[in-house]
Amino acid sequence: MSRDHVQPAHCHSPEVPYLELLARDASVEAYEQPVLLARAEGRPAARIAELEQARAHALRVRAELEGRRRREAELSALFETAHDLAGLRDLDAVLRAIVQRARSLLGTDVAYLTLNDPAHGDTYMRVTEGSVSARFQQLRLGLGEGLGGLVAQTTRPYVTDDYFEDARFQHTRTIDAGVRDEGLVAILGVPLVLGPHVIGVLFAADRRARVFEREQIALVGSFAALAAAAIDTANLLTETRAALAGLESANEIIRDRSAVIERASDVHDRLAELVLRGGGVHDVAAAVSEVLDGTVEFTETGAAPAEALETARAAGHAARHGRDWIAPVAAGGEVLGALILRGHPDLDPVDQRTLERAAMVTSLLQLARRSAAEAEQRVRGELLDDLLDARDRDPRLLRERAARLHADLDATHVVLAARLDGPAADADEEAAARRRLWAAASHLAATRQGLAAARDGGTVLLLPLGAGDSATEVARRTARHLGRTVRQPVTVGASAPVTGLAARPETVAGAYAEGRRCLDALRLLGRAGDGAAAEDFGFLGLLLAGERDVAGFVERTVGPVVAYDERRGTELLRTVDAYFSCGMSPARTKDALHVHVNTVAQRLERVGRLLGADWQTPARALEIQLALRLHRLAAPDRR
């Protein structure tokens, strides 16, 4: 039987054959078979449509699984390379492993690494993988020539989709002949940077036209950083061996230096072990603190001294700042934070490099964490988009998808519409602020077992309602949290609590519309940066609420008076109604009720204690009169 064999299309559930295909990791072509079988068997159009929809979902899941496997393979290769570097013994073996892994992960035909030769004033091939041309493998090229020359001059990665048609760099007959002999077309080059200098270039190339994605460029950049570190470490080892051979009279100094290098190697092993067993950035900081006999902290970019951090980033080394040392945590030109060694002004070069290696390992961990977080954010956003846009989703599938994200669609939720209300200098700044808002909302949703998605120029959140919480409290708390995170006002409108979202996904769209109306009302009332629900707007809330909660409005407004009359058999509600009908005149009210004026005064005093001292102010009086009218309409037999 074929590995991609599927059950007949008349299976009870349309998802079953695709689940079996996912379990077997079948090829993409196999996913067409259930639909083809159904058509061949003359199944109803509705059944075929269900199978096609299930196929689309299964292919999305398959693509997500493949993406995760690819990211796991990339991180594993980086960690293995970092481990190789920690126990560096043979530079050629490490560089060869780096080139082989880069070629394998990117799936290119060829990968190679060139190094500058200061003595000859040119550049030469150090390692090649997948090359078939002897001329290409023996190329030597002048500094500044070819694509590698452009990379070295700008210290930035460059990609050419068609080498021979690209005029951005200097073509030479020798280089072009070697590239033509190898048959290369698309080439990606990333600089090997050591301090402020480019010492070589790491390349990945194909013999056909190809577009390299940003993630692939960043991956090659990480391998290039490891290659530069391997070369740097090898240079240190070479210097040490030369010192051992030439300075017999300085045995004590040599022993000291060997001990330091041994300690650095031990640090590298410990860092590699931390990474491989799933440690985090703070674990790395703790390990380096112990080795350097100081306090090492990881800080976000905004919390580190900006000038010192920029100086260190530009130099490519840790920089001293007062009594501290700062090592930038960077990847692909982006600064992700910093490692700060506190109160340790005297730092020898090897300890300085230990701090720098720790910063490099921390950057790998930050990239891995970001990649995982972005993947989860996309999945949460897709589920919320489906709840907002689709009306015919299978409740069981919705519950299963939510459960994988630790969300419970059967719990009571609140739908929140959030939008930035701070000024933006230009379109780029506004777009960046929106991305920060979406990231903050996604993080909040993940920590609260909810969902978040970008929509209508802002963000929509679906958060569970805790015991004792109200929609208003959730809205205000969310506005404060998001505002602090993105550092500008965020206005949040909330829907009334909603339930049964898996069985009735259309409820989410209605609740979102209600939340947006509350958001618009807050902005019109000049309450930017605040949070509220429809119940906070009094009778205006009736206009904002999606389901017009008339009973709730009446209960909130005159409920205490109604309850008092029902318990005591009094006529406070009738007295208030007559009082407003008589123009708020006690004298006319007593005539209408045929009671003494003192009786009217006593009843109104009791009403004041039940509804609050401000019940006769214009705004409250308007709400109370509307509530009285609605109460009579809801119970016309009452007098």
Side-chain angles (χ1 to χ4, degrees):
M1 183 179 292
S2 169
R3 181 173 179 268
D4 293 342
H5 175 75
V6 298
Q7 296 294 327
H10 58 270
C11 287
H12 178 68
S13 173
E15 294 82 7
V16 170
Y18 294 107
L19 291 174
E20 294 175 353
L21 291 173
L22 286 169
R24 291 197 297 270
D25 195 21
S27 65
V28 174
E29 293 77 11
Y31 287 74
E32 298 293 334
Q33 293 184 18
V35 176
L36 295 176
L37 285 172
R39 288 175 176 159
E41 293 170 1
R43 297 295 167 186
R47 174 65 177 178
I48 294 174
E50 290 176 350
L51 285 168
E52 290 176 339
Q53 186 179 22
R55 177 187 60 193
H57 289 319
L59 288 173
R60 285 174 58 188
V61 172
R62 184 181 186 276
E64 181 66 24
L65 291 174
E66 286 184 348
R68 291 189 179 185
R69 284 196 291 267
R70 183 177 65 253
R71 288 191 292 273
E72 290 172 358
E74 292 172 355
L75 289 173
S76 177
L78 288 172
F79 294 157
E80 289 172 4
T81 305
H83 188 69
D84 292 345
L85 174 57
L88 177 67
R89 295 295 179 270
D90 182 351
L91 177 62
D92 285 337
V94 174
L95 293 181
R96 195 176 304 111
I98 288 173
V99 172
Q100 288 172 347
R101 288 165 184 162
R103 179 195 177 206
S104 173
L105 287 175
L106 267 68
T108 56
D109 298 322
V110 182
Y112 51 99
L113 184 148
T114 64
L115 291 180
N116 296 345
D117 188 343
H120 292 83
D122 63 359
T123 300
Y124 66 99
M125 286 283 184
R126 178 64 184 267
V127 182
T128 64
E129 178 69 16
S131 171
V132 296
S133 167
R135 176 189 294 182
F136 182 78
Q137 296 166 16
Q138 298 169 9
L139 270 180
R140 295 190 74 96
L141 40 145
L143 295 175
E145 296 177 351
L147 177 63
L150 179 62
V151 173
Q153 287 175 345
T154 61
T155 69
R156 294 174 54 191
Y158 270 90
V159 177
T160 178
D161 298 334
D162 191 336
Y163 177 87
F164 293 102
E165 297 299 321
D166 200 328
R168 293 177 298 171
F169 49 85
Q170 178 183 350
H171 288 264
T172 68
R173 182 177 301 176
T174 302
I175 301 175
D176 286 0
V179 173
R180 187 176 288 107
D181 201 32
E182 189 63 49
L184 301 182
V185 176
I187 304 176
L188 161 64
V190 176
L192 275 66
V193 180
L194 199 58
H197 305 294
V198 176
I199 62 171
V201 180
L202 177 62
F203 296 87
D206 259 338
R207 296 188 176 95
R208 63 189 186 283
R210 171 178 176 164
V211 176
F212 290 94
E213 299 178 356
R214 184 172 59 182
E215 292 81 4
Q216 295 174 324
I217 297 173
L219 177 63
V220 176
S222 298
F223 277 120
L226 291 172
I231 294 168
D232 188 26
T233 304
N235 290 340
L236 282 175
L237 292 172
T238 301
E239 293 169 7
T240 303
R241 293 183 183 119
L244 287 169
L247 300 174
E248 294 181 0
S249 62
N251 287 332
E252 187 64 31
I253 298 175
I254 293 173
R255 280 197 296 271
D256 290 344
R257 185 170 180 81
S258 296
V260 170
I261 293 176
E262 187 81 24
R263 185 156 59 93
S265 179
D266 178 60
V267 171
H268 295 156
D269 288 339
R270 292 179 63 178
L271 293 180
E273 183 183 356
L274 269 176
V275 170
L276 292 174
R277 72 166 187 253
V281 294
H282 297 293
D283 296 320
V284 172
V288 180
S289 296
E290 182 180 343
V291 170
L292 298 183
D293 192 23
T295 301
V296 177
E297 301 172 354
F298 171 76
T299 64
E300 302 290 344
T301 305
E307 185 176 349
L309 183 59
E310 177 57 28
T311 300
R313 187 202 64 78
H317 286 294
R320 184 171 170 177
H321 178 67
R323 295 180 55 81
D324 303 335
W325 284 84
I326 296 178
V329 175
E334 179 185 0
V335 179
L336 306 174
L339 285 184
I340 302 180
L341 175 60
R342 302 286 186 188
H344 212 309
D346 298 323
L347 199 64
D348 65 53
V350 175
D351 283 347
Q352 179 181 336
R353 295 189 187 205
T354 296
L355 184 63
E356 293 165 359
R357 298 292 186 276
M360 183 180 69
V361 172
T362 302
S363 72
L364 293 177
L365 292 174
Q366 286 292 89
L367 285 175
R369 188 180 72 172
R370 175 188 290 183
S371 177
E374 288 177 350
E376 182 175 341
Q377 288 172 1
R378 284 194 299 272
V379 174
R380 288 181 183 276
E382 288 169 0
L383 176 55
L384 184 50
D385 282 334
D386 285 348
L387 289 170
L388 286 166
D389 297 331
R391 303 291 189 269
D392 56 352
R393 297 289 180 183
D394 186 329
R396 183 176 60 82
L397 289 179
L398 290 174
R399 288 190 182 94
E400 290 176 357
R401 290 171 63 189
R404 287 194 290 270
L405 298 171
H406 307 290
D408 181 8
L409 295 184
D410 292 319
T412 302
H413 285 76
V414 173
V415 179
L416 306 166
R419 187 170 299 174
L420 293 165
D421 270 308
D426 51 40
D428 290 340
E429 182 179 328
E430 182 177 1
R434 287 181 179 178
R435 286 193 296 270
R436 290 196 302 272
L437 174 62
W438 178 75
S442 298
H443 178 72
L444 176 62
T447 57
R448 289 283 311 278
Q449 287 78 51
L451 305 173
R455 181 163 289 234
D456 301 323
T459 302
V460 54
L461 299 95
L462 179 68
L463 298 181
L465 191 64
D469 256 351
S470 67
T472 299
E473 292 167 345
V474 173
R476 289 176 178 169
R477 198 160 56 233
T478 302
R480 288 195 300 270
H481 175 84
L482 295 179
R484 285 195 305 267
T485 303
V486 303
R487 296 187 180 90
Q488 68 182 85
V490 176
T491 307
V492 177
S495 71
V498 290
T499 58
L501 304 184
R504 298 182 296 115
E506 68 277 1
T507 305
V508 179
Y512 173 55
E514 180 181 328
R516 286 195 64 192
R517 288 194 292 271
C518 289
L519 171 64
D520 293 337
L522 282 171
R523 301 175 81 182
L524 287 172
L525 294 171
R527 292 173 59 186
D530 198 359
E535 63 186 26
D536 300 311
F537 294 93
F539 75 90
L540 291 176
L542 294 176
L543 305 177
L544 300 172
E547 297 182 357
R548 303 292 190 268
D549 184 15
V550 174
F553 171 72
V554 172
E555 173 62 27
R556 290 191 300 271
T557 308
V558 296
V561 177
V562 174
Y564 189 90
D565 279 350
E566 290 175 351
R567 288 195 311 270
R568 304 293 184 88
T570 55
E571 294 187 336
L572 296 185
L573 196 69
R574 180 166 171 256
T575 301
V576 174
D577 198 2
Y579 179 63
F580 284 124
S581 298
C582 295
M584 302 175 72
S585 167
R588 289 201 294 272
T589 303
K590 62 100 175 171
D591 293 335
L593 297 176
H594 306 291
V595 297
H596 195 277
V597 69
N598 290 340
T599 302
V600 173
Q602 291 170 1
R603 291 179 180 179
L604 295 181
E605 182 182 356
R606 172 63 64 182
V607 169
R609 286 199 292 270
L610 293 171
L611 299 184
D614 64 340
W615 73 279
Q616 296 188 63
T617 61
R620 288 291 308 279
L622 177 60
E623 290 187 4
I624 292 169
Q625 290 178 73
L626 177 59
L628 291 170
R629 178 72 60 87
L630 293 171
H631 182 69
R632 286 199 304 273
L633 291 174
D637 56 325
R638 296 181 184 176
R639 294 290 182 265

